[in-house]
Amino acid sequence: MATAYDALHAHLRATSLLGSTAALLAWDQETQMPHGAGDRRAEQLAQLAELQHQRMVDARVADWLAACESDPRVQQDADRHANVREWRRDHTRATRLPGRLVAELAEVESKAQQAWASARAKDSFHQFRPWLERMVALQQQKADCLKTSGQARWDALADLYEPGMNAADLRALFAPLRTALVALRDKLRGGARPDDRFARQPIDESKQEAFVRAVLAAMGFDPARGRLDRSAHPFCTRVGADVRLTTRFRPDAVLDALGSTMHEGGHGLYEQGLEDTHFGTPLGEAVSLGIHESQSRLWENHVGRSAAFWRWCLPVAQKQLGTFADATADDLFRAVNVVKPSLIRVEADEATYDLHVMVRFELEQQLIDGQLGVANLPGEWNRLYRDYLGIAVPDDKHGCLQDVHWSCGLFGYFPTYTLGNLYAAQFTAAADKALGGLAALVERGQFATLREWLRRQIHRHGRRHSPAELCRLVTGAPLSPAPFLQHLEQKLAAVYRL
Amino acid sequence: MATAYDALHAHLRATSLLGSTAALLAWDQETQMPHGAGDRRAEQLAQLAELQHQRMVDARVADWLAACESDPRVQQDADRHANVREWRRDHTRATRLPGRLVAELAEVESKAQQAWASARAKDSFHQFRPWLERMVALQQQKADCLKTSGQARWDALADLYEPGMNAADLRALFAPLRTALVALRDKLRGGARPDDRFARQPIDESKQEAFVRAVLAAMGFDPARGRLDRSAHPFCTRVGADVRLTTRFRPDAVLDALGSTMHEGGHGLYEQGLEDTHFGTPLGEAVSLGIHESQSRLWENHVGRSAAFWRWCLPVAQKQLGTFADATADDLFRAVNVVKPSLIRVEADEATYDLHVMVRFELEQQLIDGQLGVANLPGEWNRLYRDYLGIAVPDDKHGCLQDVHWSCGLFGYFPTYTLGNLYAAQFTAAADKALGGLAALVERGQFATLREWLRRQIHRHGRRHSPAELCRLVTGAPLSPAPFLQHLEQKLAAVYRL
């Protein structure tokens, strides 16, 4: 006879399988779907969201969970114990949400994302405003359903993406970080700003594509279980057993294409590093978005923006691009590390990126708490950009319409980008120590050693440990801004010849 | 209070919506999916097939159907009456199939299709054989579940694709057709075989793509609700509100790329011509595969291989391809109409194509009835090719491994290709009469007149009429091989200067 664990496993694995089909619907919407199919797509996504939710709140799940929690054979088995603990977490959350809200959210997320893309293209906040108002109202409802007694709405949402994290802890991490980043920016004014014009010469997109594909292959992204496409906004998603990345190309921005590809490639290696035998269970899922982002930022910044990387990569670039003949590895190392406050988060340098995140962190708390009305968002956005980054926002397209997140219902998500930066630096320092010096491996293109270390230390655990536990296990210390700031200061001193 | 009809409609529309998501899984498998994701994809497809089946055999469906069938308000409403009649048909069929068989079929169809692609690439019937044996056994089970008292297994399967058609009727249509086609082939030996070498010069694939896209646009395929991709085997599928076509390119085969595109474009116009207000009900679905194929063959052969078409198309080809500068419209008309018995069905000319279909029609009846074992298939295939087409099959890749259908579980499907040819000729003759001469419209590129006539006469009806009724309504006569033979004889007399 099947045990409660077996029954629970089969039921929730099938639920995840439905989720993997929903992931294809979402990927296709962003990369392939003709625009006239949007409303039907929203219906398809809403249907699968509702089906998954119904399966999760099925009365039998509560019975099976209770049986597993009192079964010593389950509790003494490390894998099963961890899965049951995480399924309980997912189940508790799901039972707090009415099915109709889940379906409505999925439908509005799909439609609002399409409305956002159109509004952004036309630089029309006016056109997006009713969708954002509806989305904020839905997220407030969602937060009210999810929050525990005394918990703030925003914290209830943030916990979906970074279990255990809340606004107070984030503020404690962000405040010293902001001070240090602003001080660093001022210090760099006294240095020698690199000239990156040579890297902005137009390069044929097919050559750029061959180049980034070569780097992705060197990183060890498995093409038998993954693919790379183009989209307006690079992203990574898993569709069952394969992982799909996107990147983007502009003739004069080959280094951006490389950065996007290595970034999404880092996400992709995490997803490919999860153990397929655990598919459909928490042990087969990424633990948090902050940890996920650490993997993308580690490859994008700690590998891709290092001096050692360019000693390996310059000949690859020269061969694939047919350019950079007169450049040195140091020229490229300096070109990819120019610091300049700018308008667009995804194009920001490493030293100002987190200031973009902090703007959003402030604003979305106010939107969700009801202190800030959607109508006043552009004004507040522009005020904070002046305040944090010292720059004027010329239009909403380069301002509050730049990111897709809020249109997709991702409130409480942005801070995971900064957490990712901090985790990435702390993990890199640990890898450097454990592997006896990363630079020597990277400059020889021996990426497999790092990749396998990350797989062993982080990927294969899935949701076995909390993000905070994982950080301690991998690095021996709790998360701190110090390794990130040390990394930045050390690198930028070299770049700016301070 | 919602009526039984409303409840039934909502339930089965949602079931169709799940089916539209399954269509995306299948499209993606053929066009995008990395090969390492195949087993999980088979699971995803099996899950959605089982969910759809469970919904269709839900006990409430039988109650709602019975209530609708005895409700005069439903019976007197033409739309509702037709939907209920067809839902009853679908429900009866579904209830005959066990859910486990439905899921197993979906899983094996997905895996066997992937195994077929690999076996075909290696020309290894040996590798495909166990999959085909498993598939034949499953199809036999399926037929045994579906067949009514006294019905042959094969007829039960054929009825899935062409409602109301059976092997005896097909033999009655095919026998005189085969005699006439063989006679025609012999007659052409006395004519002047066109020289098509000028059309086999290598042409850059990006130019070929621009060319076929221009023709597809002229046909009126709506890109806001559709797209065109590449795949090893061209096909057309609908994913919710959009229609996805594929075609293929070889440097020396621009006319094949054009033919494939117009063929799939014809299928696509049918799907785009169904009324979206009827989405998820029988009135929003294609009536049969024979009628579907009539639309593809009409555009591919009756338009695309006509003399009038090339008077319009030659300048388009010259502009997009930068070639054919010295050719006349008549040269191209003759080049696309060369008759030559060949090995591959999808590359066959109009006069020998149906002989390929008849080979499969014979063999699959024997496979399903158990008279022919899978091990003996290659030998029998090769024997019939000598007999029907007078050619020797050099290997299984160019023989019984050429078509995907049996690997996908499509037994009883092949004859719909020949039905499509016959319907196409009969519909074209009717359109020619109704529109006062098609050639004059086609040579001016006025494809909209024909397309809208097809939409009004055929597409918008969905499953309102049976294929046989539809044929009578549109053409005033039952289906006959005569219009097809007349079309062929007349055209080939011009091509071969007889």
Side-chain angles (χ1 to χ4, degrees), chain B residues 250-315:
Chain B
R250 287 198 315 262
D252 65 347
V254 65
L255 297 179
D256 290 351
L258 176 67
S260 286
T261 307
M262 292 185 76
H263 181 100
E264 302 306 334
H267 283 305
L269 290 179
Y270 187 5
E271 290 290 333
Q272 289 191 336
L274 293 163
E275 293 197 11
D276 198 60
T277 49
H278 289 306
F279 172 80
T281 74
L283 289 180
E285 293 169 1
V287 64
S288 78
L289 292 185
I291 300 295
H292 225 309
E293 189 73 5
S294 77
Q295 301 306 292
S296 57
R297 298 297 268 180
L298 191 154
W299 286 97
E300 179 190 5
N301 290 337
H302 294 269
V303 176
R305 289 192 159 103
S306 71
F309 177 77
W310 283 100
R311 289 195 287 276
W312 171 79
C313 193
L314 180 60

Side-chain angles (χ1 to χ4, degrees), chain A residues 13-15 17-18 20-21 24-25 27-28 31-37 40-41 43-44 47-48 51 55 223-227 229 238-244 276 279, chain B residues 13-15 17-18 20-21 24-25 27-28 31-37 40-41 43-44 47-48 51 55 223-227 229 238-244 276 279:
Chain A
R13 185 184 182 283
T15 308
L17 190 66
L18 270 182
S20 72
T21 296
L24 178 64
L25 288 168
W27 174 81
D28 182 82
T31 59
Q32 315 285 340
M33 186 190 79
H35 67 84
R40 184 74 30 80
R41 178 56 45 89
E43 273 194 87
Q44 292 167 322
Q47 181 179 45
L48 287 204
L51 277 172
R55 292 181 61 89
R225 298 183 298 130
R227 53 181 288 133
D229 293 274
R238 185 155 55 127
V239 177
D242 67 302
V243 178
R244 302 185 178 199
D276 198 60
F279 172 80
Chain B
R13 185 183 182 284
T15 308
L17 190 65
L18 270 181
S20 72
T21 296
L24 178 64
L25 288 167
W27 173 82
D28 181 81
T31 58
Q32 315 286 339
M33 187 189 79
H35 66 83
R40 184 74 29 80
R41 178 56 46 90
E43 275 194 86
Q44 293 166 322
Q47 181 178 44
L48 288 204
L51 277 173
R55 293 181 60 91
R225 297 183 297 131
R227 52 181 287 134
D229 294 274
R238 185 156 55 129
V239 177
D242 67 302
V243 178
R244 301 185 178 200
D276 198 60
F279 172 80

Side-chain angles (χ1 to χ4, degrees), chain B residues 49-275:
Chain B
E50 196 170 9
L51 277 173
Q52 285 176 81
H53 184 259
Q54 280 167 3
R55 293 181 60 91
M56 181 53 91
V57 301
D58 186 312
R60 293 171 301 169
V61 172
D63 295 342
W64 288 325
L65 276 171
C68 287
E69 285 162 346
S70 63
D71 181 345
R73 287 165 308 173
V74 172
Q75 294 303 307
Q76 285 156 21
D77 177 312
D79 286 6
R80 294 181 169 209
H81 174 77
N83 276 335
V84 168
R85 182 193 70 219
E86 295 299 305
W87 276 327
R88 168 62 74 188
R89 183 178 141 85
D90 297 343
H91 178 257
T92 299
R93 202 157 62 197
T95 52
R96 289 188 181 137
L97 295 173
R100 279 310 310 154
L101 179 61
V102 170
E104 188 179 355
L105 271 164
E107 185 169 344
V108 174
E109 281 160 13
S110 172
K111 288 183 177 171
Q113 186 172 349
Q114 296 172 52
W116 163 80
S118 160
R120 182 175 172 276
K122 295 178 196 155
D123 187 28
S124 169
F125 182 76
H126 174 74
Q127 190 179 310
F128 182 52
R129 182 178 150 183
W131 286 101
L132 186 56
E133 281 170 343
R134 188 165 172 204
M135 180 55 78
V136 168
L138 284 169
Q139 293 293 321
Q140 288 170 338
Q141 280 179 54
K142 182 178 173 184
D144 287 338
C145 293
L146 288 173
K147 73 192 174 78
T148 51
S149 165
Q151 190 180 30
R153 275 178 177 165
W154 188 89
D155 286 351
L157 296 176
D159 188 68
L160 296 170
Y161 307 111
E162 196 67 18
M165 188 55 70
N166 60 51
D169 289 346
L170 288 167
R171 274 194 288 270
L173 280 169
F174 287 4
L177 183 61
R178 189 180 157 202
T179 308
L181 290 176
V182 170
L184 177 62
R185 196 185 64 197
D186 293 342
K187 194 170 136 191
L188 295 183
R189 292 214 181 98
R193 190 169 156 213
D195 184 349
D196 64 349
R197 282 172 301 180
F198 75 97
R200 306 224 156 260
Q201 300 302 314
I203 298 174
D204 192 63
E205 294 191 12
S206 65
K207 287 183 181 169
Q208 292 194 35
E209 187 173 342
F211 171 52
V212 304
R213 285 190 186 278
V215 174
L216 191 62
M219 285 168 63
F221 184 72
D222 177 4
R225 297 183 297 131
R227 52 181 287 134
L228 175 70
D229 294 274
R230 298 172 180 218
S231 69
H233 292 264
F235 66 96
C236 166
T237 190
R238 185 156 55 129
V239 177
D242 67 302
V243 178
R244 301 185 178 200
L245 317 178
T246 67
T247 191
R248 59 180 175 186
F249 300 99
R250 287 198 315 262
D252 65 347
V254 65
L255 297 179
D256 290 351
L258 176 67
S260 286
T261 307
M262 292 185 76
H263 181 100
E264 302 306 334
H267 283 305
L269 290 179
Y270 187 5
E271 290 290 333
Q272 289 191 336
L274 293 163
E275 293 197 11

